[in-house]
Amino acid sequence: MRIGELSTRTGVPVPTIKYYLREGLLPAGELTSPNQAQYGDAHVRRLKLVRALLDVGKLSIAATRTVLDSIDAPDNSLHDRLGIAQHALNPAPAGDPDSADLLEARELADRLIAERGWLVESPGPARDTLTQVLHSYLELGQQDLLVVLDDYANAVESLAASEIATVGRRPDPDSQVEGVVLGTVLGDALITALHRLAQEDASARAFAALG
């Protein structure tokens, strides 16, 4: 198919497809003449993946390129690819990571991870994000919300185990790779959406009658 048909099948405008080609997010088509290229079903799938990472996962162009490169890298293990996706989702926090006001939050994060026996990077992007979130709670005087920290941990621990087990049952290695990466990027968006819906429901049940 030509680029116009690729645009029709995916709903992505031709100028946007050309931009993705220039940015290396989409592999080049097969040249049939100096000014014409043919695209296949693999391009349709990759274009849908790019849109999911950008529009749903809210990744930047650079982060999307990094995630796609990790999917395409044949020598990386599934666990390595998961790490690459996490680094793309969790850029290094701003400010001095060793400032005194972050010490308590870091200790809370480290204690939670140690108590649950999680095998995670130290330092690592997700650990740093957890520290930043806990620091914000403490700084804003919201310490009482930390009593639900174990509830959060229990929920995501069960979810992660189910996710990894499901992907591991796939017979196709390429599908496993894509599942691990999308489970990280789109899974975050899914958790956020479900959390907000559940919060809205809980708030309506608890507070609506009081309004």
Side-chain angles (χ1 to χ4, degrees):
M1 75 188 84
R2 292 185 177 180
I3 195 169
E5 185 180 348
L6 179 62
S7 172
T8 299
R9 285 186 59 180
T10 60
V12 181
V14 169
T16 303
I17 294 175
K18 291 182 177 180
Y19 172 65
Y20 293 161
L21 287 165
R22 290 195 302 271
E23 290 293 324
L25 303 184
L26 190 68
E30 181 182 353
L31 286 177
T32 56
S33 72
N35 298 317
Q36 293 288 343
Q38 285 289 324
Y39 301 91
D41 290 340
H43 290 90
V44 173
R45 180 166 181 78
R46 176 51 65 97
L47 196 49
K48 290 179 179 178
L49 177 58
V50 169
R51 297 298 286 189
L53 295 173
L54 291 171
D55 297 344
V56 183
K58 304 301 182 184
L59 296 186
S60 66
I61 291 291
T64 297
R65 188 187 304 111
T66 297
V67 170
L68 293 173
D69 287 345
S70 77
I71 291 176
D72 294 335
D75 297 329
N76 287 340
S77 69
L78 284 173
H79 186 64
D80 289 337
R81 288 177 168 102
L82 174 64
I84 292 170
Q86 287 196 351
H87 278 273
L89 279 169
N90 298 277
D96 179 9
D98 295 319
S99 61
D101 60 347
L102 286 177
L103 287 177
E104 184 179 359
R106 185 180 294 114
E107 289 172 359
L108 282 171
D110 290 345
R111 184 163 63 249
L112 172 72
I113 291 168
E115 288 174 350
R116 304 194 77 87
W118 286 348
L119 305 177
V120 297
E121 281 187 278
S122 179
R127 185 190 292 259
D128 290 341
T129 299
L130 175 60
T131 298
Q132 291 287 328
V133 171
L134 296 179
H135 172 249
S136 294
Y137 275 135
L138 296 172
E139 191 174 47
L140 294 170
Q142 300 290 330
Q143 289 92 334
D144 59 326
L145 288 175
L146 297 180
V147 300
V148 302
L149 193 55
D150 275 328
D151 293 330
Y152 274 97
N154 287 332
V156 296
E157 190 175 79
S158 175
L159 174 60
S162 296
E163 232 173 18
I164 296 299
T166 299
V167 170
R169 287 192 292 269
R170 295 181 179 180
D172 178 18
D174 290 339
S175 180
Q176 287 183 339
V177 168
E178 192 172 288
V180 164
V181 173
L182 289 181
T184 302
V185 179
L186 299 187
D188 275 16
L190 179 60
I191 291 171
T192 297
L194 291 172
H195 186 201
R196 289 174 181 171
L197 288 168
Q199 278 184 326
E200 182 179 351
D201 172 71
S203 175
R205 295 175 186 276
F207 303 132
L210 302 178

